[in-house]
Amino acid sequence: MTEQLPPTTTPDVPGTALAEDEAVRLTSELIRIDTTNTGDPDTLVGERAAAEFVAAQLAEVGYETTYVESGAPGRGNVVARLAGSDPSRGALLVHGHLDVVPADASEWSVHPFSGAVQDGYVWGRGAVDMKDMVAMSLALARRLKRDGIQPKRDIIFAFLADEEAGGHFGAQWLVENRPELFEGATEAISEVGGFSITVKDGVRAYLIETAEKGIAWMTLRARGRAGHGSMIHDDNAVTKLTQAVSRLGTHRFPIVLTDSVREFLQGISDITGLAFDEDDLEGSVAKLGNIARMIGATLRDTANPTMLKAGYKSNVIPSIAEATVDCRILPGRQVAFERELDEILGPDIEREWVGLPPLETTFDGALVDHMTASILAEDPGAKALPYMLSGGTDAKSFAQLGIRCFGYAPLRLPADLDFSALFHGVDERVPVDALKFGTRVLDRFLRNC
Ligand SMILES: [Zn+2]
């Protein structure tokens, strides 16, 4: 049974209702533009088409837009700015990525690029990651312009390529090559935050992302002596590498409670009365239901081996063996993480990595107050809590410009929806009611913040 959510409230400002409908329409239309990003530029399809679609929607209501291809053909990004009434205040960046991860249509109940609106949901790849937020932002950018509403601060709307493959042809490229587009921005909102979980008897907590674990995609390399596979051989690169990979893969890094996680757990305790046992945090967190996996991954660093590469023939011992390890590091843990890594891997294993550092900001200040108030105005009795995302987003790139980044893409979700499983999942979909709710929250937020 799907829980019955409270009825849609009547918008208090004319124009919001139209924006709500537009957000639903735009989510569906954006899903129909296949923007699959496998990481291989040769398989790229619709990023340019999606960027052109967004630019046209903005131009239609009078925006001047900047279209930028970030370092490679077809990698389309669109940026537009709405001037605020108080130029002394820092600009707010509202960013979203247009690309999506691949989807295999044979596994889905509806075609992943149909954008079907049925059973109260908009269905398709990108419905929650993150064409929903792109559509809500776009609908509200149009609404503010159309209705002549001037926000207090400049709002920069940015629609970006390549988030799903690291942003090298999207946010990261723009930060390195076109930072002037984000001139004056002090704070930002984007994906993977602002959604609700139902914690107790219909009491909803909205999780606002204030932190992200760092990403380090690490290559490990062992060297040995090449030789014939039939001989006694005591300097085998494959053996050395696999022993190190096995030690690392089974290692458990220590539990470290960062401020975001501590505040989140405290907030849940306050609502539910459940105490989190410091001696068995993982056991306590496991009782959180659908979000246990997500929160559990923010208690400690992880290092998961994901790829192995060595050799070219069964009877030739190769001189080099390589492994890839996906490391996710808590804020404040980089130095300790590397020290621990040294001990586990030993001196014979070379390592190099690419990635971006962790983020953490505090859950306070005027912007946080506005985020919270905008949610509570639409869902009285709810609570807003900070939380840490175990994954990464374009926020990591924008943080390099000194911008304080939050995950705030508000959605009021049914209690029984396993939201985190929809990200990159089969039958990805977003409730129509949640999109309308999020549009109302963001409308209030953008007008007042
Ligand atoms: Zn995303």
Side-chain angles (χ1 to χ4, degrees), residues 97 99 128-130 163-164 191-192 392-393 423-424:
H97 63 84
D99 61 324
V128 299
D129 185 9
M130 62 170 292
E163 192 273 343
E164 295 293 359
E191 64 178 328
V192 214
T393 71
F423 282 75
H424 301 191

Side-chain angles (χ1 to χ4, degrees), residues 412-430:
R412 183 183 60 193
L413 299 170
D416 56 359
L417 185 71
D418 187 356
F419 185 61
S420 67
L422 295 176
F423 282 75
H424 301 191
V426 169
D427 284 343
E428 184 178 346
R429 62 197 184 280
V430 65

Side-chain angles (χ1 to χ4, degrees), residues 100-215:
V100 296
V101 294
D104 178 353
S106 69
E107 299 173 330
W108 285 57
S109 334
V110 298
H111 194 282
F113 299 106
S114 67
V117 185
Q118 59 189 51
D119 309 325
Y121 285 84
V122 184
W123 296 69
R125 176 58 85 222
V128 299
D129 185 9
M130 62 170 292
K131 287 175 170 172
D132 56 342
M133 177 59 173
V134 166
M136 291 193 289
S137 312
L138 185 54
L140 288 166
R142 283 164 59 84
R143 175 267 204 286
L144 293 172
K145 193 73 156 181
R146 193 168 44 216
D147 295 342
I149 297 170
Q150 188 173 34
K152 294 187 175 131
R153 56 202 294 194
D154 279 18
I155 301 176
I156 304 165
F157 294 98
F159 303 93
L160 307 159
D162 198 35
E163 192 273 343
E164 295 293 359
H168 304 291
F169 295 102
Q172 185 62 28
W173 190 93
L174 291 170
V175 162
E176 287 168 13
N177 296 280
R178 298 294 303 274
E180 78 283 1
L181 291 171
F182 311 104
E183 170 113 49
T186 53
E187 291 167 314
I189 61 163
S190 188
E191 64 178 328
V192 214
F195 56 91
S196 71
I197 57 170
T198 302
V199 231
K200 186 196 176 188
D201 305 334
V203 177
R204 276 177 289 276
Y206 287 82
L207 309 194
I208 296 174
E209 192 217 283
T210 52
E212 289 185 6
K213 284 174 97 175
I215 299 176

Side-chain angles (χ1 to χ4, degrees), residues 15 65 68 105 150 163 313 335 417 421 437 443:
T65 62
V68 185
Q150 188 173 34
E163 192 273 343
K313 195 169 185 299
V335 174
L417 185 71
F437 171 86
D443 181 53

